[in-house]
């Protein structure tokens, strides 16, 4: 289930990969398909939105197994996407954009 990876220290020191290789490959494949299609449809400027950048940062976090990058995305995307959802629901229910982000 888990793959052993040789650490930077040397071949005698090993660590166990905490993230399955299948997940890393699946997310990489997703980004390789999603990225060009999204770029073609919406243009490069849309990659400046936090949710789109989040896909790329998560890709780096998966391969580097960085808890900092994962937690950064979990917190930042949760805040921005929650505000976006509040704005969409408010516009749908009341016809008024509370934040003006949609």
């Amino acid at each position: 289930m888990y793959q052993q990876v040789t650490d930077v220290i040397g071949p005698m020191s090993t660590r166990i990969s905490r993230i399955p290789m299948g997940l890393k490959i699946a997310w990489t494949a997703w980004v390789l398909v999603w990225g060009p299609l999204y770029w073609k449809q919406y243009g490069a400027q849309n990659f400046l939105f936090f949710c789109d950048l989040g896909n790329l940062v998560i890709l780096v976090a998966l391969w580097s197994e960085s808890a900092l990058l994962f937690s950064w995305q979990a917190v930042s995307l949760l805040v921005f996407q929650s505000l976006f959802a509040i704005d969409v629901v408010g516009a749908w229910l009341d016809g008024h954009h509370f934040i003006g982000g949609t």
Side-chain angles (χ1 to χ4, degrees):
M1 182 170 165
Y2 294 107
Q3 173 187 4
Q4 279 197 329
V5 179
T6 303
D7 208 355
V8 179
I9 298 170
M12 296 302 287
S13 173
T14 59
R15 68 179 174 92
I16 296 176
S17 178
R18 295 179 288 170
I19 300 173
M21 185 59 71
L23 178 60
K24 293 177 182 180
I25 291 171
W27 192 263
T28 302
W30 158 251
V31 170
L32 289 175
V33 170
W34 166 80
L37 291 174
Y38 196 79
W39 185 309
K40 183 181 177 192
Q41 181 69 28
Y42 299 108
Q45 71 275 6
N46 270 21
F47 283 98
L48 297 176
F49 290 114
F50 285 109
C51 54
D52 300 328
L53 279 175
N55 282 325
L56 302 175
V57 174
I58 289 171
L59 178 67
V60 173
L62 279 170
W63 285 102
S64 66
E65 297 191 11
S66 170
L68 177 65
L69 289 178
F70 277 122
S71 61
W72 172 33
Q73 291 311 296
V75 172
S76 65
L77 290 178
L78 179 66
V79 170
F80 287 109
Q81 294 302 325
S82 297
L83 292 173
F84 181 83
I86 289 169
D87 202 39
V88 167
V89 170
W92 182 65
L93 292 175
D94 190 23
H96 176 72
H97 294 275
F98 297 115
I99 300 165
T102 58

